C-alpha cells in the first residue's frame, strides 16, 4: 500500500510485558486526543481493571477462529496461550478518513502490520534493565512466579526484534519516555509530504510571487 498525505497516521507501539507500554500509551492518548486507540480482539479473560470495548474486545476462542477463517484480521498472534487480532477493515476505514490511530501490539503483530501499511510509524519500548523488568512484573501482583519467569524469558526474545522498529524508547524515567513518545508522533505528522498537502495554499501563495 502506498503512503498518502491525506491518510491518517498509523502508530504501532510494542514492548515486552512489564516495560510500561500501556501506561505510556494511555498518557499519550490523554496528551493528544487526536490519536485514537485501535481496540484489538482477544480471547484472554479481562483483568479486573479492564473494560470490554475500551481496553480490548473480548471474544471466545471459537468466535476468534471464525473471524480468522473469514479473513477479518489485519494481524493476529498467540501470546501465552491467548489469541489477539486487529480488524483490517476498521483500520483501513479510519486511516482513509484521515484519523490517526495507535496499535498497541506485540512485535509479531507489528511485523504483519508493516507488510500491509509500510508507511506506519513503529515504536519499541524498552525497560531500563532486565532486573528492573523483573521487579516491575513482580510488583504488579498479577502473575505467579512461574508466569513471571515465562514473561522474562519471552522478553529477551521480544527485545531481539527491536531493531526492526523505526524508533526505540528506553522507559527509565516515565515522564522523559512520554516526552520522547510525544516527540515521535509530532515528528511523523511534520513529514514533508503531509505538510505539503496540509499547507498547499501557503505553498501556492509563494509560487505566485
Amino acid at each position: 500500500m502506498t503512503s498518502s498525505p491525506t491518510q491518517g497516521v498509523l502508530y504501532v507501539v510494542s514492548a515486552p510485558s512489564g516495560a510500561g507500554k500501556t501506561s505510556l500509551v494511555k498518557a499519550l492518548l490523554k496528551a493528544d486526543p487526536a490519536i485514537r486507540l485501535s481496540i484489538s480482539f482477544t480471547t484472554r479473560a479481562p483483568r479486573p481493571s479492564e473494560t470490554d470495548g475500551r481496553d480490548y474486545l473480548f471474544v471466545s476462542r471459537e468466535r476468534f477462529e471464525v473471524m480468522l477463517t473469514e479473513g477479518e484480521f489485519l494481524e493476529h498472534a498467540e501470546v501465552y496461550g491467548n489469541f489477539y487480532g486487529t480488524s483490517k477493515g476498521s483500520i483501513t476505514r479510519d486511516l482513509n478518513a484521515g484519523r490517526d490511530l495507535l496499535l498497541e501490539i506485540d512485535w509479531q503483530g507489528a511485523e504483519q502490520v508493516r507488510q500491509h501499511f509500510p508507511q506506519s510509524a513503529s515504536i519499541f519500548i524498552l525497560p531500563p534493565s532486565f532486573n528492573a523488568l523483573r521487579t516491575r512484573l513482580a510488583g504488579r501482583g498479577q502473575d505467579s512466579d512461574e508466569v513471571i519467569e515465562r514473561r522474562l524469558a519471552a522478553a529477551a526474545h521480544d527485545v531481539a526484534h527491536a531493531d526492526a522498529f523505526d524508533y526505540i524508547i528506553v522507559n527509565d524515567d516515565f515522564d522523559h519516555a512520554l516526552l520522547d513518545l510525544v516527540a515521535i508522533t509530532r515528528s511523523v505528522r511534520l513529514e514533508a509530504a503531509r505538510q505539503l498537502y496540509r499547507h498547499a495554499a501557503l505553498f501556492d501563495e509563494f509560487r505566485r510571487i
Side-chain angles (χ1 to χ4, degrees):
M1 178 176 295
T2 57
S3 176
S4 170
T6 64
Q7 288 185 325
V9 182
L10 180 59
Y11 302 101
V12 179
V13 182
S14 301
S17 179
K21 167 173 58 70
T22 299
S23 296
L24 281 171
V25 166
K26 287 181 178 179
L28 171 66
L29 297 177
K30 184 177 181 180
D32 191 344
I35 301 175
R36 298 173 52 182
L37 181 66
S38 175
I39 308 300
S40 298
F41 288 85
T42 183
T43 61
R44 157 171 89 67
R47 292 169 180 159
S49 62
E50 293 177 330
T51 302
D52 184 39
R54 183 193 67 186
D55 300 285
Y56 285 97
L57 294 166
F58 296 97
V59 296
S60 67
R61 182 178 289 260
E62 292 75 18
R63 173 58 182 156
F64 191 97
E65 290 175 348
V66 169
M67 296 173 69
L68 183 60
T69 301
E70 294 177 348
E72 292 189 27
F73 293 125
L74 167 64
E75 59 81 26
H76 70 279
E78 182 179 3
V79 183
Y80 307 123
N82 298 303
F83 288 97
Y84 296 80
T86 303
S87 170
K88 185 187 338 182
S90 176
I91 294 291
T92 301
R93 286 191 297 271
D94 282 342
L95 290 178
N96 288 341
R99 302 186 185 101
D100 291 350
L101 294 177
L102 186 146
L103 283 174
E104 187 183 344
I105 53 179
D106 69 355
W107 68 266
Q108 300 172 71
E111 188 175 81
Q112 294 175 53
V113 170
R114 280 194 295 270
Q115 293 175 7
H116 289 87
F117 297 97
Q119 76 275 20
S120 61
S122 58
I123 306 157
F124 195 89
I125 310 295
L126 276 175
S129 69
F130 186 80
N131 286 336
L133 183 61
R134 181 189 295 276
T135 300
R136 290 179 183 178
L137 289 173
R140 294 195 307 193
Q142 296 176 341
D143 302 314
S144 65
D145 290 344
E146 180 183 355
V147 171
I148 289 174
E149 291 304 315
R150 282 170 52 199
R151 292 187 184 279
L152 287 170
H157 186 59
D158 294 342
V159 172
H161 296 272
D163 60 354
F165 288 73
D166 300 314
Y167 304 90
I168 296 176
I169 295 174
V170 178
N171 186 16
D172 189 0
D173 177 86
F174 182 85
D175 290 337
H176 193 156
L178 177 58
L179 287 175
D180 287 343
L181 187 55
V182 170
I184 290 169
T185 60
R186 290 179 176 174
S187 174
V188 173
R189 285 184 178 137
L190 296 176
E191 290 175 349
R194 299 182 189 280
Q195 291 293 75
L196 286 167
Y197 177 81
R198 292 191 186 104
H199 302 288
L202 175 60
F203 284 99
D204 285 342
E205 179 182 344
F206 278 89
R207 292 190 187 102
R208 290 195 297 267
I209 296 175

